[in-house]
Coordinates of all heavy atoms in Angstrom, one line a residue:
F1 N 5.4 -9.8 5.2 CA 5.0 -9.5 6.5 C 3.7 -10.2 6.8 O 3.5 -10.8 7.9 CB 4.8 -8.0 6.7 CG 6.0 -7.2 7.0 CD1 7.2 -7.6 6.6 CD2 5.9 -6.1 7.8 CE1 8.4 -6.8 7.0 CE2 7.0 -5.3 8.2 CZ 8.2 -5.7 7.8
R2 N 2.7 -10.2 5.9 CA 1.4 -10.8 6.1 C 1.6 -12.3 6.2 O 0.9 -12.9 7.1 CB 0.4 -10.3 5.1 CG 0.1 -8.9 5.3 CD -0.9 -8.3 4.4 NE -1.2 -6.9 4.8 CZ -1.9 -6.1 3.9 NH1 -2.4 -6.5 2.8 NH2 -2.1 -4.9 4.4
R3 N 2.4 -12.9 5.5 CA 2.7 -14.3 5.6 C 3.3 -14.6 7.1 O 3.0 -15.7 7.6 CB 3.7 -14.9 4.6 CG 3.2 -14.8 3.2 CD 4.3 -15.2 2.2 NE 3.8 -15.0 0.8 CZ 3.5 -15.9 -0.1 NH1 3.6 -17.2 0.3 NH2 3.1 -15.6 -1.3
A4 N 4.1 -13.7 7.5 CA 4.6 -13.9 8.9 C 3.7 -13.5 10.0 O 4.1 -13.6 11.2 CB 5.9 -13.1 9.0
G5 N 2.5 -13.1 9.7 CA 1.6 -12.7 10.7 C 1.8 -11.4 11.3 O 1.4 -11.1 12.4
I6 N 2.5 -10.5 10.6 CA 2.8 -9.1 11.0 C 1.8 -8.2 10.4 O 1.7 -8.2 9.2 CB 4.2 -8.7 10.7 CG1 5.2 -9.6 11.3 CG2 4.5 -7.3 11.1 CD1 6.6 -9.5 10.8
E7 N 1.0 -7.5 11.2 CA 0.0 -6.5 10.7 C 0.9 -5.4 10.1 O 1.7 -4.7 10.7 CB -0.9 -6.0 11.7 CG -1.8 -7.0 12.2 CD -2.8 -6.5 13.2 OE1 -3.3 -5.3 13.0 OE2 -3.0 -7.2 14.2
I8 N 0.6 -5.0 8.9 CA 1.2 -3.8 8.2 C 0.2 -3.1 7.5 O -0.6 -3.6 6.8 CB 2.4 -4.2 7.2 CG1 3.1 -2.9 6.7 CG2 1.9 -5.1 6.2 CD1 4.5 -3.2 6.2
E9 N 0.1 -1.8 7.8 CA -0.9 -0.9 7.2 C -0.2 -0.2 6.0 O 0.9 0.4 6.1 CB -1.4 0.1 8.2 CG -2.6 1.0 7.6 CD -3.3 1.7 8.6 OE1 -3.6 1.1 9.7 OE2 -3.7 2.9 8.4
V10 N -0.8 -0.3 4.9 CA -0.3 0.4 3.6 C -0.9 1.7 3.6 O -2.1 1.9 3.5 CB -0.6 -0.5 2.4 CG1 -0.1 0.2 1.1 CG2 -0.2 -1.9 2.4
T11 N -0.1 2.7 3.7 CA -0.5 4.1 3.8 C -0.1 4.9 2.6 O 1.1 4.8 2.2 CB 0.2 4.7 5.1 OG1 -0.2 4.0 6.2 CG2 -0.3 6.2 5.2
G12 N -1.0 5.5 1.9 CA -0.7 6.3 0.8 C -0.4 7.8 1.2 O -1.0 8.3 2.0
F13 N 0.7 8.3 0.5 CA 1.0 9.7 0.7 C 0.1 10.5 -0.1 O 0.2 10.6 -1.3 CB 2.4 9.9 0.4 CG 2.9 11.3 0.6 CD1 2.8 11.9 1.8 CD2 3.4 12.1 -0.4 CE1 3.3 13.2 2.1 CE2 3.8 13.4 -0.2 CZ 3.7 13.9 1.0
N14 N -0.9 11.2 0.5 CA -1.8 12.1 -0.1 C -3.0 11.4 -0.9 O -4.0 12.1 -1.2 CB -1.2 13.1 -1.1 CG -0.3 14.0 -0.4 OD1 -0.4 14.4 0.7 ND2 0.7 14.5 -1.1
Y15 N -3.0 10.1 -1.2 CA -4.0 9.5 -2.0 C -4.2 8.0 -1.4 O -3.3 7.4 -0.9 CB -3.6 9.3 -3.5 CG -3.3 10.7 -4.1 CD1 -2.0 11.1 -4.2 CD2 -4.3 11.5 -4.5 CE1 -1.7 12.3 -4.8 CE2 -4.0 12.7 -5.1 CZ -2.8 13.2 -5.2 OH -2.5 14.4 -5.8
D16 N -5.4 7.6 -1.7 CA -5.7 6.2 -1.3 C -5.5 5.2 -2.4 O -5.6 4.0 -2.2 CB -7.2 6.0 -0.7 CG -8.2 6.4 -1.7 OD1 -7.9 6.7 -2.8 OD2 -9.4 6.2 -1.4
T17 N -5.2 5.7 -3.6 CA -4.8 4.8 -4.7 C -3.5 5.4 -5.2 O -3.4 6.6 -5.5 CB -5.8 4.8 -5.9 OG1 -7.1 4.4 -5.3 CG2 -5.5 3.9 -7.0
V18 N -2.5 4.6 -5.3 CA -1.1 5.0 -5.6 C -0.6 4.2 -6.7 O -0.8 3.0 -6.8 CB -0.2 4.9 -4.3 CG1 1.2 5.4 -4.6 CG2 -0.8 5.5 -3.1
I19 N 0.1 4.9 -7.7 CA 0.6 4.3 -8.9 C 2.0 4.2 -8.8 O 2.8 5.2 -8.5 CB 0.2 5.2 -10.1 CG1 -1.3 5.3 -10.2 CG2 0.7 4.5 -11.4 CD1 -1.8 6.4 -11.3
G20 N 2.5 2.9 -8.9 CA 4.0 2.7 -8.8 C 4.7 3.1 -10.1 O 4.1 3.6 -11.0
G21 N 6.0 3.1 -10.0 CA 6.9 3.6 -11.0 C 6.7 2.8 -12.3 O 7.1 3.3 -13.4
H22 N 6.2 1.6 -12.3 CA 6.0 0.8 -13.5 C 4.5 0.5 -13.8 O 4.2 -0.4 -14.4 CB 6.7 -0.5 -13.3 CG 8.2 -0.3 -13.1 ND1 8.8 0.7 -12.3 CD2 9.3 -0.9 -13.7 CE1 10.0 0.7 -12.4 NE2 10.4 -0.3 -13.2
G23 N 3.6 1.4 -13.3 CA 2.2 1.4 -13.6 C 1.4 0.5 -12.7 O 0.2 0.4 -13.0
V24 N 1.9 -0.2 -11.7 CA 1.1 -1.1 -10.8 C 0.4 -0.1 -9.9 O 0.9 0.7 -9.3 CB 2.0 -2.0 -10.0 CG1 1.2 -2.8 -9.0 CG2 2.7 -3.0 -11.0
V25 N -0.9 -0.4 -9.8 CA -1.8 0.5 -9.0 C -2.1 -0.3 -7.7 O -2.5 -1.5 -7.7 CB -3.1 0.9 -9.7 CG1 -3.9 1.7 -8.8 CG2 -2.8 1.6 -11.0
L26 N -1.9 0.4 -6.6 CA -2.2 -0.2 -5.2 C -3.3 0.6 -4.6 O -3.1 1.8 -4.5 CB -1.0 -0.3 -4.3 CG 0.0 -1.4 -4.6 CD1 1.1 -1.4 -3.5 CD2 -0.6 -2.8 -4.8
K27 N -4.2 -0.1 -3.9 CA -5.3 0.6 -3.1 C -4.7 0.5 -1.7 O -4.4 -0.6 -1.2 CB -6.6 -0.1 -3.2 CG -7.7 0.4 -2.3 CD -8.4 1.5 -2.9 CE -9.5 1.9 -2.0 NZ -9.4 2.9 -1.1
T28 N -4.6 1.6 -1.0 CA -4.0 1.6 0.3 C -5.1 1.3 1.4 O -6.2 1.4 1.1 CB -3.3 3.0 0.6 OG1 -4.3 3.9 0.6 CG2 -2.2 3.3 -0.5
D29 N -4.6 1.1 2.6 CA -5.4 0.8 3.7 C -5.9 2.2 4.3 O -6.9 2.3 4.9 CB -4.7 0.0 4.8 CG -4.3 -1.4 4.3 OD1 -5.1 -2.0 3.7 OD2 -3.2 -1.7 4.6

């Protein structure tokens, strides 16, 4: 999306740091 110039907000459900199923941690917007 970002490569295509589409703004996308990464929203965390209940937290601003979210841990994926395989341990990758994302900081949300």
Side-chain angles (χ1 to χ4, degrees):
F1 272 35
R2 291 184 177 167
R3 288 173 192 252
I6 299 169
E7 291 182 42
I8 184 161
E9 188 164 316
V10 181
T11 303
F13 180 62
N14 294 332
Y15 302 99
D16 63 355
T17 301
V18 184
I19 303 170
H22 299 42
V24 174
V25 178
L26 287 186
K27 173 85 172 99
T28 64
D29 299 316

